[in-house]
Amino acid sequence: MDTLISALRAALGDDAVIEGARLAERARSFWDARPLRGRALLLPRDTAAVSAALRLCHEARQPVVPLGGGTNIANATASGANDILISLERLRGIGPVDLAQQTVTVEAGALLESVQNQATEAGLKVPVDLGARGSCTIGGMIACNAGGNQVLRYGMTRDMVLGLEAVLADGTVLSGLTPYLKNNTGYDLKQWFVGSEGTLGIVTRAVLRLYPAPRSRHTALLAIDDFAAIAPLLLRLRARLGGLLTSFEGMWQSFYQLNSGEHATTAPIFDTAPAWSVLVEIEGQDAETDGALFEQVLAEAWEAGGLADAVISGSEADRLAMWAIREGCEAEAKLYTRTDQFDISLAMDAMLPCTEAIRTTLAEQAPDSDLHVFGHLGDGNLHLLVGHRREEIDSARVKQLVYGQVAKWHGSVSAEHGIGLDKKAYLPLSRGAAEIAAMRAIKRALDPHGILNPGKIFDL
Ligand SMILES: Cc1cc2nc3c(=O)[nH]c(=O)nc-3n(C[C@H](O)[C@H](O)[C@H](O)COP(=O)(O)OP(=O)(O)OC[C@H]3O[C@@H](n4cnc5c(N)ncnc54)[C@H](O)[C@@H]3O)c2cc1C
């Protein structure tokens, strides 16, 4: 008889403890359809049940993996046969939206898309948006400090969390569900949990900051021949558009060709593929005045030189076609047997030399692999897609090559996807020994037996 499982059944109810074949019916993650591994999967109904489960696991020194939608891109929910998984899928409560404060209090298992829908009904907007919106949870977004396409204007998940409730490894509930923008009352404990990838506590509820829903949206795709023109263009748009600029997304030539070529679902927008394309989007409250300002500012940018071509979207279909080139992933699936993906931050003046060095070395060491660069250019965040035509290319070698260059150019090995298991070996390239020691000290203070998501981000 398994005493811990019996105690968990007694505390949470039989239907909240899933084992054996029923556990293995579930997929490991959004990306990995193989059967989930674990000693048990717990489905607590509320914060008290999360607390009871963690108290028992803490006493039994039982490793626990918190689970949201499983959409993370860092292997941060990987579990072994002896782990207990805690999914927040029964904690999906939302709201009501507080119009006076422009906030909403949500349970951590709520899907981003559900929160977005509720905010929209109230005339408001959730400031962080991701392609995974239909599957990712608010708790998972907080634990990963997710970014997305509008960070330039609204910030990352960190910036939308005003208050937070989390359960520590020993079952202690830290409740700080305040709706205040300003709250300088000692350490900002909620921020310790943002980006902690489930290693410091389980987030159960959060107060999110909302913004007025936009009434107008204008989008353009700009072609650029000289990389040096990009930084002044970004500065001009930010200065002249008076805070309306929401996205400044970049595509290197080969990525544009990949996603508008024969294997893609979208047709090219320019006659010849530009060296760099930038997708620019603004959101505002007045379609007429915003549209006129957008056109005027783009005309000024044209006059100033630096733009090789520019197309302003005339309809929602045009806009979606532009975004489809930036977000499409059908071509890579058709062309490559396997891909390695990277999510790095670099200073604007390091982007070109760093990516060129990676391209040159890759061409020498892996001539059957292609490098495609794209991403949240305005945030200094590039995504690198390395597509392999042959299965046998060693991913470890590709990672060494990419991260070696990122370190040389003083970049970050993870801009928004987190460390998880995938980037653990490379954390010291972006964070100093003293910083990692401080992270370990915080981990030991909040989770003395190291039960929460062990082995993720760093080893103890
Ligand atoms: C199509 C697609 C597009 C994406 N685009 C972006 C993007 O633009 N920007 C971006 O940043 N990411 C992006 N992602 C990655 C992903 O969606 C985010 O990392 C998301 O925040 C993960 O949420 P989740 O609920 O799926 O968490 P999971 O993947 O389940 O978990 C992520 C981490 O959080 C922990 N965790 C989960 N819930 C909790 C909780 N309640 N308390 C404590 N820890 C918890 C887990 O243990 C794990 O460490 C994308 C993913 C997909 C599939």
Side-chain angles (χ1 to χ4, degrees), residues 30-31 65-73 76-77 88 108 129-132 135-149 156 197-199 201-204 376 383 416-417 453 456:
F30 180 90
W31 308 99
V65 178
L67 259 191
T71 66
N72 77 86
I73 314 179
T77 49
L88 281 285
D129 185 28
L130 312 176
S135 309
C136 70
T137 64
I138 297 297
M141 290 173 66
I142 291 173
C144 287
N145 187 27
N149 293 332
M156 296 183 69
E197 300 184 28
T199 61
I202 296 193
V203 177
T204 43
H376 314 296
H383 295 314
E416 60 177 11
H417 293 165
N453 219 2
K456 311 297 171 14

